[in-house]
Amino acid sequence: MAKVYERIADDLRQLIRAGELRPGDRLPAETSLADQYKKSLPTVRQALAVLQAEGLIEKQHGRGNFVRRPRKLVERTNERHQWEKDRARESLQTRSQTGATEHDTGLQLDDLVFTAKYKEIKADERLAKAIGLPEGTALLERTFRTRYRAESAPFNLTRSYLVLEMIAGNSDLLDETKEPWPGGTQNQLHTVGIEVDRVVERVTARPPTAEEMEELDLPPGTAVLVLQKISYDTNDRVVDVADVTLPGDRTEMTFTTRLERW
Amino acid sequence: MAKVYERIADDLRQLIRAGELRPGDRLPAETSLADQYKKSLPTVRQALAVLQAEGLIEKQHGRGNFVRRPRKLVERTNERHQWEKDRARESLQTRSQTGATEHDTGLQLDDLVFTAKYKEIKADERLAKAIGLPEGTALLERTFRTRYRAESAPFNLTRSYLVLEMIAGNSDLLDETKEPWPGGTQNQLHTVGIEVDRVVERVTARPPTAEEMEELDLPPGTAVLVLQKISYDTNDRVVDVADVTLPGDRTEMTFTTRLERW
DNA sequence: GAGTGGTCTAGACCACTGT
DNA sequence: CAGTGGTCTAGACCACTCC
């Protein structure tokens, strides 16, 4: 009485969970599954689509259907913020050695490819609300992308927004060719006298949009982590708003909360 | 030359993004879309499946396809940990008033339905590693579920693991009927002399499993946030490991990181 | 070229929703 | 009952991978 495609999906799911089909293994060809279950090909394909949506299998055109392997994770911690703050007042030489992403991933600068694009915009409603300034406020939108040199797709998409008036004191901050800036955003802000006091990060998860699937090279059956990071300075002003999109199957974020002692 | 179903999906996606089809609106019937595009019904359905996987539309059997409405969010902050710690030494009366979830959501105790189930188990490899004790260590597994009284599906699934030996001093802690425990886990640990020093939370995102879709009543085209929360006491021992599954379309987590002043 | 998955068609019949 | 989406079939033809 159960739907045929669900029964087939359940069957295969169980084989995978029991370890009879292991990560990387090829599933039987769709035609042979159709024979085996005495069902039509489209029905079998529907069952496989369910498993694909769950992230259990991966379809490879012309090769077969494969049990998906877990991805190597990119770590991202909230201790990077304090680390970056400590660096912000260090010498240029120290700052040039590694950035926050290398700190998280344990990689060298050379392993990563970083691109930046700057653009001046006016705050829309959403940004105005996040920053706490009126709509239309002049902002600098900075689009960042980071990827492993060895891989073709970036592992994060970041758009950061600074208030133009706050950073007017240092024209270098408007120059995208100065990226990657040694010491990162906290050092950039430091050059115009801004000290970051706290960072608030909002996290949600959702399926990727078509564009994100394209740009992050995400297969169907994955999710993205969406992070909005707001930095406040010591006067409680919002000094940076960043929207970060991270592939869920490659990212693990760690947040440490230290509690006051009794 | 683009694939037909992608072209149809792009078309409809654009209508939705442009606001010509607004949240809650019904899309044209599948048969009428097939007529309109002069394509077969299965092709149209394939296009709609793409939009469903992106979380843009919702299929309702016998009614139609609808533009998905954004869900009401459940908030969860990391400041709840300090808040809960402060409460842990308060009077029973104070502790009974509200819990951390109510603190996050701003709701009253009566608005929420809470269920708990306890079970003694042996640590498997994953848990042993998380806790830093040998495999086979006796643990108390506590399964929690929280939902709005008005809704049928819970908005989180939590499994928490305590080391039995650590909590042996208070037999009430083995009694699931004492849940919801006023003051929560931090008070429970306090009764056996344990002070939580810090909480480390690891966050990833993935599509829901079949079981999670069932239990959290998730439609296709949503993701789950998976949170592993590890509590350390002042002696650096792991005193609680909790696995929390949260529906991505209903949850927003906020983490605040305070930085040392210059 | 053999094997595999991807796209698309045409149509039958079932199940659910609303009037 | 009419209208809608859900399941399933049978088969044609295309596109990719690998030998």
Side-chain angles (χ1 to χ4, degrees):
Chain A
M1 168 62 251
K3 280 160 268 180
V4 174
Y5 77 91
E6 278 190 1
R7 243 201 45 235
I8 299 178
D10 286 349
D11 247 41
L12 295 170
R13 187 165 30 226
Q14 204 184 336
L15 288 179
I16 293 170
R17 290 203 181 153
E20 300 192 37
L21 289 168
R22 324 173 101 259
D25 282 0
R26 216 200 77 184
L27 273 65
E30 299 183 348
T31 47
S32 78
L33 285 172
D35 278 0
Q36 182 184 327
Y37 286 101
K38 310 241 189 283
K39 294 293 160 188
S40 75
L41 226 172
T43 301
V44 167
R45 290 177 54 73
Q46 197 176 357
L48 293 170
V50 170
L51 300 180
Q52 186 188 27
E54 289 171 9
L56 270 179
I57 68 166
E58 186 174 343
K59 316 206 88 187
Q60 291 187 32
H61 193 169
R63 305 219 312 127
N65 297 300
F66 296 82
V67 179
R68 198 181 276 155
R69 294 173 202 277
R71 283 270 218 151
K72 189 165 355 119
L73 291 178
V74 174
E75 310 253 350
R76 181 191 166 101
T77 75
N78 71 329
E79 304 203 312
R80 72 193 340 247
H81 305 311
Q82 181 65 55
W83 186 89
E84 195 180 292
K85 180 162 182 176
D86 293 341
R87 284 243 150 172
R89 291 188 303 176
E90 294 284 345
S91 70
L92 175 62
Q93 199 195 352
T94 305
R95 283 185 280 119
S96 300
Q97 280 163 20
T98 55
T101 300
E102 295 79 37
H103 176 242
D104 277 356
T105 56
L107 294 170
Q108 302 303 308
L109 264 178
D110 288 350
D111 299 329
L112 297 172
V113 179
F114 181 87
T115 58
K117 242 179 79 175
Y118 284 14
K119 191 169 128 193
E120 299 186 15
I121 64 160
K122 304 274 178 209
D124 62 15
E125 189 191 336
R126 184 186 72 89
L127 284 169
K129 202 180 147 208
I131 298 179
L133 290 174
E135 264 185 74
T137 302
L139 303 178
L140 180 66
E141 176 187 79
R142 309 182 302 162
T143 305
F144 301 123
R145 225 122 286 200
T146 318
R147 65 173 172 87
Y148 290 130
R149 185 170 297 283
E151 293 184 2
S152 60
F155 57 80
N156 79 39
L157 308 179
T158 302
R159 249 191 279 277
S160 156
Y161 300 90
L162 303 177
V163 180
L164 266 177
E165 202 194 332
M166 289 187 195
I167 58 172
N170 183 353
S171 60
D172 280 354
L173 297 182
L174 303 178
D175 181 357
E176 68 188 25
T177 68
K178 295 272 197 282
E179 294 280 0
W181 184 285
T185 298
Q186 288 208 47
N187 179 265
Q188 290 176 311
L189 293 171
H190 174 52
T191 67
V192 289
I194 293 175
E195 175 185 356
V196 176
D197 177 60
R198 64 185 195 281
V199 177
V200 176
E201 292 170 286
R202 287 196 165 68
V203 181
T204 58
R206 56 167 172 71
T209 64
E211 291 81 4
E212 288 164 348
M213 285 183 64
E214 170 85 13
E215 237 193 320
L216 295 170
D217 192 24
L218 295 173
T222 54
V224 293
L225 281 163
V226 181
L227 186 149
Q228 184 182 58
K229 168 182 155 235
I230 302 186
S231 306
Y232 293 84
D233 76 354
T234 51
N235 299 318
D236 246 19
R237 289 186 308 175
V238 172
V239 294
D240 181 31
V241 173
D243 295 307
V244 186
T245 307
L246 301 155
D249 62 342
R250 263 177 284 178
T251 309
E252 182 170 279
M253 294 197 295
T254 304
F255 294 95
T256 300
T257 309
R258 296 177 188 282
L259 306 180
E260 290 163 21
R261 291 289 179 103
W262 282 336
Chain B
M1 180 60 258
K3 280 159 266 180
V4 174
Y5 76 92
E6 279 189 0
R7 242 201 45 234
I8 300 177
D10 285 349
D11 247 40
L12 295 171
R13 187 164 32 226
Q14 204 184 336
L15 288 179
I16 294 171
R17 291 205 181 150
E20 300 192 38
L21 290 167
R22 325 176 101 258
D25 281 0
R26 215 199 78 185
L27 275 64
E30 299 182 348
T31 48
S32 79
L33 285 172
D35 279 359
Q36 182 184 326
Y37 287 100
K38 310 246 191 276
K39 294 292 159 188
S40 75
L41 226 173
T43 300
V44 167
R45 289 177 55 72
Q46 196 177 356
L48 294 170
V50 170
L51 300 180
Q52 185 187 29
E54 288 171 11
L56 270 180
I57 68 166
E58 187 175 343
K59 316 206 88 187
Q60 291 188 32
H61 194 168
R63 304 221 311 129
N65 297 301
F66 296 82
V67 180
R68 189 114 127 235
R69 292 173 203 278
R71 281 270 219 154
K72 192 172 350 132
L73 291 179
V74 174
E75 309 254 351
R76 181 191 165 101
T77 75
N78 71 329
E79 303 201 313
R80 73 195 337 249
H81 305 311
Q82 182 65 54
W83 187 89
E84 196 180 290
K85 179 162 182 174
D86 293 341
R87 285 244 149 172
R89 293 187 303 178
E90 294 285 344
S91 70
L92 175 62
Q93 198 194 352
T94 305
R95 282 185 282 119
S96 301
Q97 281 164 18
T98 54
T101 300
E102 295 79 36
H103 175 242
D104 277 355
T105 56
L107 295 169
Q108 303 300 308
L109 264 178
D110 290 349
D111 299 329
L112 297 171
V113 180
F114 181 87
T115 58
K117 244 179 78 174
Y118 283 15
K119 191 168 126 192
E120 298 186 14
I121 63 159
K122 303 275 180 209
D124 62 15
E125 189 191 335
R126 184 185 72 89
L127 284 169
K129 202 179 146 207
I131 299 178
L133 290 174
E135 262 185 74
T137 301
L139 302 178
L140 180 67
E141 177 186 79
R142 310 181 301 163
T143 305
F144 302 123
R145 225 117 290 197
T146 317
R147 67 174 172 86
Y148 290 130
R149 186 171 297 282
E151 294 185 2
S152 60
F155 57 80
N156 79 42
L157 309 178
T158 302
R159 250 190 278 278
S160 157
Y161 301 89
L162 304 177
V163 180
L164 266 178
E165 203 194 332
M166 290 187 194
I167 58 171
N170 183 353
S171 61
D172 280 355
L173 297 182
L174 304 178
D175 181 358
E176 70 188 24
T177 67
K178 295 271 196 285
E179 293 281 0
W181 184 286
T185 299
Q186 288 208 47
N187 179 264
Q188 291 175 311
L189 293 172
H190 174 53
T191 68
V192 290
I194 292 174
E195 175 184 354
V196 176
D197 176 60
R198 65 185 194 282
V199 177
V200 176
E201 292 169 286
R202 287 196 166 68
V203 181
T204 57
R206 56 166 173 73
T209 64
E211 291 81 3
E212 287 164 349
M213 284 183 64
E214 169 87 12
E215 234 191 323
L216 295 170
D217 192 24
L218 294 173
T222 54
V224 293
L225 281 164
V226 180
L227 187 149
Q228 183 180 59
K229 169 184 154 234
I230 302 187
S231 305
Y232 294 83
D233 75 355
T234 50
N235 300 316
D236 245 20
R237 290 186 308 174
V238 172
V239 294
D240 181 31
V241 172
D243 296 306
V244 186
T245 306
L246 302 155
D249 62 342
R250 261 177 286 178
T251 309
E252 182 170 280
M253 296 197 295
T254 303
F255 295 94
T256 300
T257 309
R258 293 173 191 284
L259 305 180
E260 291 163 20
R261 291 287 180 104
W262 283 336

